[in-house]
Amino acid sequence: MVESSQGFPHIQLRLTTEGRAASPPGGGKKNPITAVNLGNRQGHGGKLKGSVDSLIFEWQETQEEREQEEKPLLKSQRIILEIDPDSFNPDGLKAYGIELIADTEDGYIIGALADLELSDLQKKIEKFINEQHGGNKVAEIWEVIDGKKKPELILSPNLFAELYDKWLAIKEEQIYTVDVGVACVGTKTKLPNYPKFQPNETNDKFTRRVNNWIQKRQLTEQEWEEISWERQDEFEEFIQFYKGKISKGFQDDGGEIGTATLPDSFSCRIQISGKGLKDLVENFPYIFDVSEPDEFAEIIQRQDLSDTDSPSFQLESPELNAPKVCVIDSGIQERHSLLRAAIDSKNSRSWVPRETDKTPDYVNNGGHGTSVAGAVLYPRTIPRSGNEKAVCWIQNARVLQANRKLPKQLFPANLLGEIVEFYHEQTGTRIFNHSITGSVPCLTRYMSAWASSIDNLIWQKDILFIVAAGNLPLNSRIGFTRLSIREHIAANRQYPDYLLEDSSRIANPAQSFQALTVGSIALNSYHAPPYYSIAQKDKSSAFSCCGLGIWETIKPEVVEYGGDLVIDEGLPPNITFPKDVCPELVRSTLNGGPAIGSDKVGTSFAAPKVSHIAARLAAELPNESCLLYRGLIVQSARWPEWIVGYGGDKLHILRQIGYGLPDVDRALGNAPNRITLMTTGERRIVAKQAHIYQVKLPEKLRSQGEAFKILLEVTLSYKAQPRRTRRNRRKYLSTWLDWECSKKGEDPELFKARVLEEFVASEDAEKGEGLFKWMLGKQNHHGIIKSVSRSAGTLQKDWAVVNSFELTEAFSIAVVGHEGWNNDPEASVPYSLVISFEAIQVDIPIYTSIVEAQVETEIEPTIEVQSIVGS
C-alpha cells in the first residue's frame, strides 16, 4: 500500500501477465486514386516519367545558374511527392533513392536526393509500367512536383500569407528573423530490423545474429550523428554566404549537440536577408519548417486597484527536502512578504541578455512571474492572518523582459534546455511551471521546435512541464490568425461558439505531447447592469484558448480558475474584468500598488494552480515518477456539475475544458465510496508487448440483488522519444501506447485471449456482452463523444458509469505497445496507469471491500511472464 497522509490512500495496481500483444486486424480498401493508377499503368507511369524528366532539366539549369552567381552549391535537390496518405509508408522512400525530409497530414512528402538523374525512381516507374516485381507501390505516388512549387509546405501560415504574394518582389536587403527546422536522417542509414528466431535455428546462431544486429545499430546511430554534423556545416555555409547570423540552437559553446536537436533534425533561429531567405526556402533541400519567432501574449490586467490591505499572515519555509517548482517567467519579487520564506534565492537565475544579474519582476502593474509564483503557493485564496508552512520551494528562472517579451536572441527550444539542465541537474527540480505562450494559434502541421524541445526534455529526464493554454486578445487581432474577442462578437460569433474557431486554438507550446496543458474557467458569475459576465461560473473563460491540439489530441487536458471577462450591451461592447471575476493573486510592489490584488485574468494564473497539486503529489510520493503525478492530476479531474444536464455536443465541452477541474483531495487520496489503484515504480514496455493488470472485485459488489452504479475511471500516462519531421503521433513518437479493458461480464481468461497473441482461453470461460459506454472510446467512433479518441495523446483518460453486476470477479486492463518510428524491439518507454472505482451512492463502502479482495489474492501465484524478445 502506498504511504499517504490521507485516510484512504491509493493502493498498488499489480501486474498479473505480460506477453506478445495480439496483432490488430489489417486490410482495408485501396484508395480510389491508387486503384485507378493500378489499372492505368501506361498513363500514370508516363505522367510520372514526364514530371521526372522536367525536374532533371530544371535542376541542371539551377545548378549552372548557382555556379555562375557563385552561390553555395547544393549537394542535394528537393523533390515533393503527393502520395496515398492511407497506404504509402514514407520510410520506404529510401528504396527510391529519396531521403525523407518531412511528411504532412494532407499527403505530401518533402524529399531530398543527391542523384540528379533520379535513377532509382525511374527504375521503379519502369517496373510499374512493365508490371514487374517491386513496381506496384508507384501507384501510391500520385504526383511528382518541383521542390520550389509548394512553399506553403515549408513556410508557416503567417509567413506564407505575409511573403508569398510578394515573393518575387521581396525586399532583398531587408533582414528577417525566422526559426528553421532542418532534417538530418539520410538515405543510406536505416536501423535494421531485429532478427527473428528461425525454425530449427540453434540458440548460438540466433545469439550471433542478435550481436551482429547490435553492431549494425551502433554504426547506424554513428552515421546519423555524422549526417547531423555535416548538415549543420552545410547550413552554416549557406547562411554565412548571405552574411546571416545563427542564434545558438543546434550547437552549444562547447561544440556539443544542443537541446534543440532531435534524432531526426535540428532547429535554430537565424537572421538573414530577404534574398537569402528566398533562396533558403526555394532551394536548401533539407529544411521542413520556416516560421516567424513567437510573439508573446500580453497580460490581461487592469490598472485601477482598490485592494489596499496589508495581510499579517506569515508564510513559513517549507521542509528542506520539500519539492521545488521552477517558475519560468518574468522574474519574481523574491522579498515579497507572501513569498520570501519559500524562495530558493540562491538558485535564482536570469537569462535576459545584459540583465543576467537581475532576477526581480519588473513588469508594471503588479508583475507577472510574482503572481504566478503566488498562485503555486496559494491556489484559492490568500490568508490574511495566522501562519502556514509552504508546500514547496519556488525557484526563479527569469526569461521575460520588463515589457513582457522574450528577447529575440533567446531561442525557446534551446533556452528551456539550459533551464532544465541547470535546475534539474543542480538542484533536482522536477516540476517546471511554464505560463508563457505565443500569441497566435499553434501550428498543426508539425510539432514546433519549442513544443518538441519540451517533449524531448521530458523524455530524457523525469520532469513535468505544466504549461498554459494561451489567451485570446480582447480588442485587436494578432497577426493573420488570432482574432480578438471583440472581432468575434462583431462577426456575430457568440460565446462559447467562438472558442471553437481555428483562430481560438491553443498557443505554442501548449500542443506539446508530453506537457500538461491547463486552460481557464470562470471563478464567478457576474451581473451588475449594464455589465454581465461572458461566461458563467465553472464554464470556460471567455479568453481561454481551446483544443483540439495537434493531430486531434485532447488539449487542454485540465482547467483551473483563471478568471473571466464582462461586457455591456454597447455596439461594439466594452470588455473589462472587475474584481469579482478575477482570481486573487500576489502582486509585485516594486512599482507601487498593493501586495494582493484581483486585477488580472488569464491561463497564466490557472497553470500554477495545477503546479500546486503536482507539488503536493511530489511531497506525498517523492519516490514516484512525474508520469504518475501527471496521471493522478488528470485522474482527479471532473467535469463541472452544470454539464450533467447539458444537451449539446459534448465534444465542444471536451475541446474547451478537457477532462475538467482537478481536485487535490482526489489526486492524493480517496473516500469510503471511492478507491484508486496505481502502478508504482518504473514500468516500461516495448512495442508489440502487452501488460495485463487485474483488480479483484468481491462478490458483494457484483450481486444482482445489490445493484448500484459505479463510476469507472482509467488514465494512462506515458512518454516516448519524439521526431519532429513526422506528421502524426504514431510516427512522431518512438513507441506509442494505448489501453484495452474488460467488456461487460467478460471473463478474465477471455480478455487475455483477446489481448495476447499466444494465450488461449479455457472452454468454460464466459463470454462478454459488449463494451461499456465509455465517454471517449479507443477509436473515434466508439464512445459517447464522436470524432475523438482517447488514444490520440500520451495522456489517455476515459470514464464510464457501469452497473455493478456487469463486472466480473476481476476487472482486467492491458497496456499495449505499438511501433512508432523506432523499430528497435528493445526500445522501451515508461508509463503509469491509474484506475478508480467510485460508487455513485456515497454510502456504498467500495474502498474497504476492494482493498480486502486485493489482500486475499496477494498470496496467489502470478501467471508466468511470457517473453516477446526473439519471437
Side-chain angles (χ1 to χ4, degrees):
M1 189 172 293
V2 177
E3 293 297 326
S4 171
S5 62
Q6 305 297 309
F8 297 91
H10 306 323
I11 68 172
Q12 184 174 344
L13 185 61
R14 296 188 179 278
L15 177 69
T16 60
T17 313
E18 64 178 284
R20 186 177 181 86
S23 300
K29 296 181 179 178
K30 283 189 179 296
N31 186 290
I33 297 176
T34 299
V36 169
N37 292 341
L38 277 170
N40 181 25
R41 292 176 180 268
Q42 293 293 329
H44 181 61
K47 183 187 77 170
L48 295 183
K49 285 182 67 176
S51 298
V52 169
D53 290 340
S54 297
L55 288 182
I56 293 171
F57 178 76
E58 291 173 9
W59 290 343
Q60 289 171 343
E61 284 195 331
T62 298
Q63 287 290 67
E64 291 172 2
E65 290 174 4
R66 296 190 75 85
E67 285 186 33
Q68 293 172 3
E69 297 174 10
E70 297 184 345
K71 291 181 178 179
L73 294 182
L74 303 172
K75 298 177 181 178
S76 298
Q77 295 289 341
R78 183 186 304 142
I79 186 172
I80 294 173
L81 304 178
E82 185 180 8
I83 52 92
D84 184 337
D86 300 320
S87 58
F88 190 88
N89 180 11
D91 291 320
L93 281 175
K94 292 180 175 67
Y96 299 80
I98 300 173
E99 176 184 349
L100 174 63
I101 301 301
D103 57 354
T104 67
E105 210 38 63
D106 49 359
Y108 287 99
I109 288 176
I110 302 171
L113 39 83
D115 175 15
L116 298 188
E117 298 298 322
L118 290 169
S119 304
D120 291 333
L121 177 57
Q122 296 213 64
K123 290 177 183 176
K124 290 284 187 181
I125 295 172
E126 287 294 337
K127 288 183 177 181
F128 172 73
I129 293 173
N130 297 321
E131 299 187 43
Q132 295 175 347
H133 177 72
N136 278 357
K137 295 294 286 184
V138 171
E140 298 170 7
I141 299 176
W142 295 349
E143 192 172 357
V144 177
I145 306 169
D146 187 344
K148 297 179 183 180
K149 294 292 179 62
K150 297 188 76 67
E152 66 270 25
L153 296 181
I154 294 171
L155 290 166
S156 69
N158 267 346
L159 273 183
F160 182 70
E162 178 184 347
L163 297 177
Y164 187 65
D165 287 341
K166 54 185 179 183
W167 197 243
L168 297 177
I170 191 171
K171 296 178 181 178
E172 293 191 345
E173 302 307 316
Q174 180 174 330
I175 301 300
Y176 293 86
T177 300
V178 294
D179 294 341
V180 180
V182 181
C184 49
V185 175
T187 57
K188 296 181 180 179
T189 55
K190 180 184 178 183
L191 188 63
N193 290 322
Y194 189 85
K196 293 184 177 181
F197 195 86
Q198 301 297 328
N200 303 320
E201 185 176 26
T202 65
N203 288 333
D204 287 344
K205 184 176 180 181
F206 178 70
T207 300
R208 287 195 299 272
R209 291 202 298 123
V210 169
N211 290 335
N212 185 48
W213 177 86
I214 292 172
Q215 292 176 359
K216 288 182 179 179
R217 180 183 63 181
Q218 292 170 344
L219 288 173
T220 298
E221 291 171 350
Q222 291 173 11
E223 289 171 345
W224 280 340
E225 187 170 334
E226 289 170 3
I227 289 172
S228 178
W229 286 111
E230 289 173 4
R231 292 282 159 86
Q232 291 174 25
D233 290 341
E234 193 172 346
F235 182 75
E236 286 182 292
E237 180 183 347
F238 191 101
I239 301 303
Q240 288 170 0
F241 175 81
Y242 290 102
K243 297 181 173 55
K245 296 180 180 179
I246 302 176
S247 299
K248 187 169 70 171
F250 56 81
Q251 218 172 350
D252 67 20
D253 294 335
E256 297 294 326
I257 293 177
T259 53
T261 298
L262 299 181
D264 64 334
S265 62
F266 62 83
S267 303
C268 59
R269 178 165 294 171
I270 66 170
Q271 289 181 315
I272 193 170
S273 66
K275 183 177 182 180
L277 178 60
K278 184 180 179 186
D279 192 13
L280 181 75
V281 171
E282 289 188 341
N283 293 304
F284 194 77
Y286 311 120
I287 61 170
F288 62 89
D289 175 37
V290 178
S291 56
E292 68 282 10
D294 277 279
E295 294 292 335
F296 289 83
E298 295 286 337
I299 302 170
I300 308 176
Q301 62 182 12
R302 295 194 326 271
Q303 296 187 27
D304 56 310
L305 288 169
S306 57
D307 307 67
T308 57
D309 57 337
S310 299
S312 61
F313 169 78
Q314 293 293 317
L315 181 70
E316 298 177 357
S317 295
E319 301 291 341
L320 288 177
N321 63 347
K324 304 173 185 69
V325 177
C326 178
V327 175
I328 305 170
D329 217 284
S330 62
I332 299 172
Q333 183 187 1
E334 297 183 9
R335 304 302 296 172
H336 198 291
S337 62
L338 292 168
L339 305 178
R340 182 174 56 236
I343 299 294
D344 178 16
S345 56
K346 66 180 180 297
N347 288 306
S348 300
R349 293 289 185 278
S350 170
W351 274 261
V352 178
R354 296 182 297 278
E355 296 182 16
T356 54
D357 59 335
K358 299 177 180 179
T359 59
D361 183 359
Y362 295 109
V363 174
N364 287 328
N365 301 317
H368 188 263
T370 300
S371 298
V372 170
V376 175
L377 298 173
Y378 311 104
R380 288 293 176 262
T381 59
I382 300 171
R384 298 307 200 270
S385 61
N387 59 297
E388 186 178 311
K389 188 182 287 291
V391 67
C392 63
W393 293 100
I394 299 292
Q395 295 176 321
N396 179 9
R398 181 180 177 232
V399 299
L400 297 185
Q401 299 165 304
N403 62 0
R404 305 181 294 274
K405 301 296 183 182
L406 185 78
K408 286 290 179 68
Q409 304 97 305
L410 298 180
F411 182 45
N414 205 60
L415 173 65
L416 293 181
E418 293 180 10
I419 291 171
V420 170
E421 183 71 21
F422 175 78
Y423 286 104
H424 182 71
E425 300 305 320
Q426 301 294 324
T427 69
T429 306
R430 296 198 292 161
I431 302 170
F432 293 83
N433 190 95
H434 193 287
S435 286
I436 308 166
T437 69
S439 58
V440 298
C442 72
L443 303 181
T444 56
R445 182 183 300 139
Y446 306 117
M447 192 69 75
S448 70
W450 189 359
S452 63
S453 70
I454 292 175
D455 287 342
N456 199 41
L457 288 165
I458 291 173
W459 162 253
Q460 293 172 341
K461 306 175 191 299
D462 181 26
I463 59 176
L464 174 60
F465 263 85
I466 296 173
V467 304
N471 306 319
L472 302 182
L474 302 190
N475 297 307
S476 302
R477 76 167 58 202
I478 301 173
F480 292 91
T481 54
R482 180 73 87 195
L483 300 184
S484 69
I485 295 171
R486 183 185 295 272
E487 287 172 303
H488 281 298
I489 294 174
N492 203 31
R493 287 188 290 269
Q494 300 300 314
Y495 171 91
D497 295 342
Y498 67 74
L499 294 177
L500 305 176
E501 296 288 320
D502 286 345
S503 62
S504 299
R505 186 169 57 245
I506 56 174
N508 197 18
Q511 74 276 27
S512 161
F513 254 40
Q514 299 182 161
L516 183 59
T517 301
V518 185
S520 174
I521 56 175
L523 182 65
N524 294 305
S525 300
Y526 182 86
H527 186 65
Y531 285 97
Y532 57 92
S533 53
I534 298 179
Q536 299 297 305
K537 177 176 169 52
D538 291 337
K539 294 191 175 183
S540 184
S541 301
F543 54 78
S544 185
C545 294
C546 297
L548 298 171
I550 188 171
W551 306 319
E552 299 186 336
T553 49
I554 295 167
K555 291 284 183 175
E557 290 97 347
V558 294
V559 289
E560 257 289 357
Y561 292 111
D564 194 33
L565 304 171
V566 305
I567 58 173
D568 63 13
E569 296 178 354
L571 293 173
N574 294 304
I575 304 175
T576 185
F577 38 102
K579 174 181 177 180
D580 291 338
V581 299
C582 298
E584 187 174 75
L585 299 167
V586 176
R587 297 182 78 258
S588 169
T589 60
L590 291 179
N591 295 308
I596 299 173
S598 298
D599 61 326
K600 305 184 187 78
V601 296
T603 59
S604 290
F605 313 114
K609 297 180 179 187
V610 176
S611 294
H612 173 88
I613 301 176
R616 293 280 300 274
L617 285 165
E620 290 284 351
L621 305 168
N623 298 320
E624 296 297 338
S625 73
C626 288
L627 286 176
L628 180 60
Y629 305 159
R630 186 174 72 143
L632 286 171
I633 290 169
V634 167
Q635 183 77 349
S636 76
R638 296 274 176 87
W639 282 356
E641 291 184 4
W642 65 266
I643 297 176
V644 172
Y646 180 75
D649 187 348
K650 287 187 170 62
L651 176 60
H652 297 169
I653 304 298
L654 190 74
R655 290 178 59 186
Q656 292 172 49
I657 65 174
Y659 301 112
L661 180 69
D663 181 272
V664 66
D665 292 329
R666 279 196 298 268
L668 289 168
N670 300 279
N673 67 317
R674 182 176 189 268
I675 186 169
T676 298
L677 302 96
M678 66 185 192
T679 55
T680 58
E682 184 178 72
R683 299 293 173 94
R684 301 187 73 94
I685 192 170
V686 300
K688 302 179 182 179
Q689 186 179 30
H691 289 177
I692 295 180
Y693 297 85
Q694 286 187 349
V695 181
K696 298 294 183 180
L697 301 175
E699 171 63 28
K700 60 184 177 182
L701 291 184
R702 299 180 284 110
S703 170
Q704 284 273 4
E706 302 294 332
F708 54 90
K709 300 288 187 181
I710 294 177
L711 172 62
L712 174 59
E713 298 170 287
V714 179
T715 299
L716 172 65
S717 171
Y718 76 95
K719 63 181 180 179
Q721 188 176 20
R723 261 193 172 182
R724 193 173 164 232
T725 60
R726 299 315 177 92
R727 70 183 180 187
N728 58 49
R729 51 106 180 180
R730 296 189 178 187
K731 291 299 182 181
Y732 176 68
L733 300 174
S734 55
T735 304
W736 60 276
L737 310 182
D738 59 12
W739 57 267
E740 180 70 70
C741 71
S742 299
K743 297 178 182 179
K744 295 179 183 179
E746 184 176 33
D747 185 275
E749 297 293 297
L750 274 178
F751 178 78
K752 292 174 185 174
R754 183 158 60 88
V755 170
L756 299 179
E757 188 174 77
E758 298 180 359
F759 196 93
V760 179
S762 60
E763 293 183 2
D764 58 350
E766 297 179 8
K767 295 184 178 180
E769 301 171 6
L771 299 173
F772 292 117
K773 202 171 184 180
W774 292 101
M775 183 59 68
L776 303 179
K778 187 176 178 180
Q779 298 182 24
N780 61 13
H781 59 279
H782 284 179
I784 295 173
I785 299 177
K786 308 300 181 184
S787 303
V788 70
S789 163
R790 68 177 180 230
S791 304
T794 62
L795 194 52
Q796 302 175 8
K797 179 178 180 179
D798 210 345
W799 64 102
V801 175
V802 306
N803 295 309
S804 57
F805 58 81
E806 293 173 330
L807 300 168
T808 61
E809 62 181 15
F811 179 81
S812 301
I813 184 166
V815 177
V816 182
H818 305 271
E819 187 177 293
W821 61 259
N822 194 341
N823 65 349
D824 179 356
E826 297 180 346
S828 63
V829 297
Y831 70 88
S832 291
L833 181 65
V834 186
I835 305 174
S836 296
F837 297 84
E838 179 175 330
I840 304 299
Q841 298 167 257
V842 296
D843 59 341
I844 304 295
I846 272 187
Y847 187 92
T848 53
S849 60
I850 292 183
V851 167
E852 289 170 358
Q854 309 319 300
V855 172
E856 290 173 1
T857 59
E858 281 184 9
I859 59 173
E860 296 179 2
T862 57
I863 299 175
E864 183 179 353
V865 171
Q866 303 171 32
S867 173
I868 71 163
V869 176
S871 57

